[in-house]
Structure formats: structure tokens, C-alpha cells
Amino acid sequence: MTEPSEPTGPSTFLIGGGWATPVVHEPFLRAAGGSAGAVPRVACVIVDEGEGDGDRQFARYEAALRRAADCVPVPVLVPIGGRLDVEAVSDVDGVLVCGGLTPAYQDAFAGCLDRLPRLLAERRVPYAGFSAGAALAARSAVVGGWLLDGVPVCPEDTAEDLDEIAVREGLGLVPFAVDAHAAQWGTLPRLIAAVTRHRLPHGVAIDENTLVEVAADGRAHVSGLGRAHSVRPTGTSDGDVSVRSYGAGESFRTR
């Protein structure tokens, strides 16, 4: 897959998972409130696995958002195996795509991979992705897996019900692939494998309780408790990459 230019719009906010700090939500909520500082309505898109799971997950995100700032979270529950109706997020100030089984989120968004980014850009609505939602923000979305040609590269518990590492079409809001829970789940090697196998130009693995804010000018800014790990091919030989980690207060170029 190649990485085309993303739509021009507001910043995109990528959260690597975790629940320890409201700092990762505050910049997104400020952007959703706009320059007037209004109380934003935030759509929380959740793939609902049934038996009350969607409601329980929404309650968790609602509490986290309200701890960070004054806001009105709005549940948008998509049944597992179903597709997101873009109209459900057309009248809000911000869109948070939540965490869960990443391949299920990719399936849920498969019918609006072009339409949703256009809507966000046209209406200047910021996007935040938490874990699975962060992975989906890329055009080439790393959705799971733990094996490369049958060889383990990360813990099986992180596989997202997949065996071989899988890269599928995402939203294209940022010009790099994304993996989450980097330090906590050991997913950085999976991202390195995805970058080399699928010839991706750039990947970023994000620790939990860590935010990467990607501005419209293409710069990425890191905040929170952990680090973001940038993976790029060196161009010297197949399979060679450079990895550089960035902590709170640091920035890096996305291309």
C-alpha cells in the first residue's frame, strides 16, 4: 500500500491506550471546543460486541473525557460486523474512535474510508483515535497479527485474533502507520515488521497514556507519560530501519 496525501483539516490526535491521565484527551477536547471554548459534543464510536459491552465501554470513555474537560460525550455504537453510518457523526464537534478489536473497527469503517475524512476536513471536526482508533487513522492500518512468515515478532496476546501481521486500508488522516500499547504490549517489533514487509514509508508505535498530535502542517507533537517510537526505512538495504523515540514536549516530522 502507498500513503497518499491526507485531507487538509484540523489536527488528528492519536492515543496509544491507557487510562492513567486526562492529559491525552485535553488537547483533542480543546480543538473540538474551537477558539470560542464552547462545550463540545463528542461522538464516541465503539464497536459493540453485545451483551451490554458497548454501554459499559461508553461509560468508561465518557468518564475519561469528562475528567479531562467539560464536554458532552455521545455514544455511537456499531454492532460487531456492522458498518458505521457517517450521518451518526455528522453533527458533532469532535469524533473519538475508541479501542477494541482492531480488525472489527476496520470492518466497521470500510464503507466510509473516503467519505469520513472528507466530512471531517470540510467541517473542521478533529479526530481522535484511542488504540484501535489510532491504528485506523493511517491509510495503511496495522490491524494485528503476531507472526511474520510463521515466526513470532510480538506476544500472541496482542494478535487481535489474527496470525500473520495484517495491514489493511484505513482512513488516511495521517501519513504513517500506527501501532499502540508499544511499551506495555511489546508491539514495536510488529510495526517494524509491517514497515519492512509492506514497504511503508513511516510508522509510529505509541506507548499507553501517550498522545501524538499531528497538525495540519505535518508536524507531530508528543505529550503524556510515555513515548512515541518513529520507524523509517533507511533506504540502504531491504529490512533495514531506523528507530527513534520521542518523549513529552518533543516533535518530529511525519514525512
Side-chain angles (χ1 to χ4, degrees), residues 95-246:
V95 174
L96 170 65
V97 178
C98 300
L101 193 62
T102 307
Y105 275 84
Q106 197 273 340
D107 288 343
F109 281 77
C112 61
L113 293 176
D114 293 323
R115 186 180 175 197
L116 179 60
R118 286 198 303 270
L119 182 147
L120 297 176
E122 290 167 359
R123 302 190 181 184
R124 306 292 300 172
V125 174
Y127 174 102
F130 182 100
S131 187
L136 189 64
R139 175 64 66 193
S140 299
V142 180
V143 298
W146 68 295
L147 304 174
L148 183 66
D149 296 332
V151 178
V153 297
C154 62
E156 186 175 2
D157 288 348
T158 71
E160 307 268 12
D161 291 346
L162 299 173
D163 292 324
E164 288 288 321
I165 294 170
V167 176
R168 299 177 184 170
E169 190 175 7
L171 291 166
L173 295 170
V174 297
F176 50 80
V178 180
D179 214 329
H181 311 282
Q184 292 74 21
W185 292 9
T187 55
L188 177 57
R190 176 169 67 195
L191 182 66
I192 293 171
V195 167
T196 56
R197 170 55 55 87
H198 295 274
R199 299 185 180 277
L200 305 180
H202 189 194
V204 177
I206 308 171
D207 292 348
E208 291 183 1
N209 300 303
T210 305
L211 169 70
V212 175
E213 178 181 348
V214 183
D217 65 4
R219 294 292 296 179
H221 180 76
V222 181
S223 57
L225 303 181
R227 303 183 71 82
H229 314 272
S230 172
V231 179
R232 299 180 189 269
T234 62
T236 55
S237 64
D238 286 346
D240 285 351
V241 299
S242 65
V243 180
R244 182 172 175 182
S245 295
Y246 299 86

Side-chain angles (χ1 to χ4, degrees), residues 14-29 60-61 63-69 130 184 206-212 222-227 248:
L14 309 173
I15 302 167
W19 302 93
T21 175
V23 170
V24 295
H25 298 293
E26 289 170 353
F28 163 64
L29 292 173
R60 195 177 191 189
Y61 287 99
L65 291 170
R66 290 187 183 277
R67 280 197 302 271
F130 182 100
Q184 292 74 21
I206 308 171
D207 292 348
E208 291 183 1
N209 300 303
T210 305
L211 169 70
V212 175
V222 181
S223 57
L225 303 181
R227 303 183 71 82

